[in-house]
Amino acid sequence: PHGQLGKVLSFQGRDDEAIASYRKVIELSPAFSGVRHWLSIVLLGDGHDRAKAELALAAVADEPSESYRLETRAMACHALGRKAESDAALAELEATHATDSAWQIAVVHAFRGDDDAAFAWLDRAIENRDSGLTFALAEPYIRRLRSGPRWEEFLRKLRG
């Protein structure tokens, strides 16, 4: 329950409470997959605080899920201006998890400001029936894509 609570709190912008909730999950179940990623995403925030990006990178280092580790690494390294490392993490994520993590790849592209690639991966997420699509209306890094005809077209495709 603490993991789900953390997601809800983070989507509401209640970051300190979300962080506490995620840390509780780590305390109770250190091998829980995904929680270090979600903690890192809250720590990373909008990506404009270098100290927080470093914290996010450190927090995700022990994440059991490779796809979550790569996603967060690509975003945190981008925020830190470490382009080559960000590109390498994203390339590995795309090469090894294209069929099971299209949503996550779209999120990375949106975070990096590459709207064309983000929408291409959102389409792929629909094709793959990616469970991440359940976050389409709540995901903070997708928010800026939510205006204009491309978003409306994506929603039409999502509704099927």
Side-chain angles (χ1 to χ4, degrees):
H2 288 285
Q4 293 303 319
L5 176 61
K7 285 182 188 179
V8 170
L9 291 168
S10 70
F11 289 155
Q12 293 176 344
R14 297 164 59 183
D15 292 350
D16 291 340
E17 293 170 273
I19 289 168
S21 188
Y22 291 137
R23 287 188 173 146
K24 185 66 171 177
V25 175
I26 293 168
E27 175 189 324
L28 295 172
S29 183
F32 189 88
S33 182
V35 72
R36 285 172 175 79
H37 161 73
W38 283 100
L39 171 61
S40 296
I41 293 302
V42 175
L43 291 169
L44 182 59
D46 64 8
H48 292 105
D49 184 323
R50 291 183 62 82
K52 287 183 178 181
E54 289 286 0
L55 288 173
L57 201 52
V60 81
D62 294 327
E63 168 58 51
S65 166
E66 179 187 56
S67 62
Y68 279 146
R69 243 186 355 265
L70 291 169
E71 175 189 2
T72 307
R73 183 166 188 73
M75 293 190 305
C77 287
H78 177 79
L80 292 166
R82 293 162 38 184
K83 184 178 179 349
E85 289 177 70
S86 177
D87 289 349
L90 178 56
E92 186 176 350
L93 180 63
E94 289 177 344
T96 58
H97 294 281
T99 58
D100 65 352
S101 298
W103 168 260
Q104 291 169 253
I105 296 167
V107 169
V108 173
H109 282 290
F111 182 84
R112 290 168 39 131
D114 186 348
D115 295 358
D116 291 339
F119 277 108
W121 282 98
L122 287 172
D123 286 345
R124 198 171 208 178
I126 291 171
E127 291 170 17
N128 295 347
R129 297 177 185 236
D130 193 304
S131 63
L133 290 165
T134 60
F135 298 113
L137 298 178
E139 170 63 51
Y141 300 125
I142 296 291
R143 274 191 197 124
R144 60 177 201 75
L145 300 178
R146 291 188 201 140
S147 62
R150 291 173 85 181
W151 182 255
E152 293 303 318
E153 180 183 338
F154 162 72
L155 289 179
R156 277 192 295 281
K157 290 176 188 175
L158 186 59
R159 290 180 190 119

